[in-house]
Amino acid sequence: MSDHSQSRAILPEGWPQPRGYANGMVAEGRVLVTGGLVGWDAQGVFAKGFIGQLRQTFLNIRAVVEAGGGRVEDIVRLTWYVTDIATYRASLKEMGPVYREVFGRHFPAMAVVAVTALVEPEALLEIEATAVVDG
């Protein structure tokens, strides 16, 4: 068996190629699920602004996946919860470079959900990740 699971994006015939996400993923291995991670550091200090928190959240996801024996390429799903969908939409151009800095060009299945609040009052977003690591 390889050192890491193999996953691949699913694209139904005739569907347009999505940009920055996959419509579905298939993988084989052990499932690693994170909790909802937010944009604070190991000391509980939040990064400033939406993009700052986004970057820290991505770094936190990578840290949990790697601590579980995986790597970012093993992530098959990200579910985002954002408190301000207008800010999310206005930040799309800034998000791409930050995403690629942490996750490279690996784009799993994703969903973005607008919520009225998160448990941590300073959190502007929270993201859950699912990875499939070598079995």
Side-chain angles (χ1 to χ4, degrees):
M1 183 156 285
S2 68
D3 289 352
H4 293 279
S5 70
Q6 295 294 312
S7 64
R8 66 179 174 89
I10 302 300
L11 183 64
E13 187 175 332
W15 284 30
Q17 180 68 45
R19 293 183 50 155
Y21 68 95
N23 289 302
M25 298 287 289
V26 66
E28 186 175 323
R30 294 179 299 120
V31 176
L32 183 158
V33 180
T34 74
L37 300 176
V38 295
W40 60 19
D41 63 18
Q43 290 72 45
V45 177
F46 276 93
K48 301 291 182 218
F50 183 81
I51 293 298
Q53 286 193 22
L54 181 67
R55 182 179 186 279
Q56 186 62 54
T57 302
F58 289 162
L59 291 169
N60 294 344
I61 290 167
R62 184 173 72 189
V64 171
V65 169
E66 289 175 351
R71 56 188 184 158
V72 296
E73 294 83 3
D74 296 327
I75 297 170
V76 295
R77 181 169 183 78
L78 295 173
T79 304
W80 304 38
Y81 304 94
V82 299
T83 59
D84 186 343
I85 198 70
T87 297
Y88 169 86
R89 289 179 180 138
S91 302
L92 289 172
K93 285 188 183 213
E94 294 174 87
M95 279 191 263
V98 172
Y99 181 94
R100 289 187 301 276
E101 171 193 338
V102 179
F103 295 132
R105 294 199 172 273
H106 174 68
F107 302 109
M110 294 189 213
V112 178
V113 181
V115 297
T116 58
L118 296 165
V119 171
E120 294 297 331
E122 289 182 67
L124 301 174
L125 69 143
E126 184 169 321
I127 301 176
E128 299 172 327
T130 302
V132 179
V133 301
D134 187 42

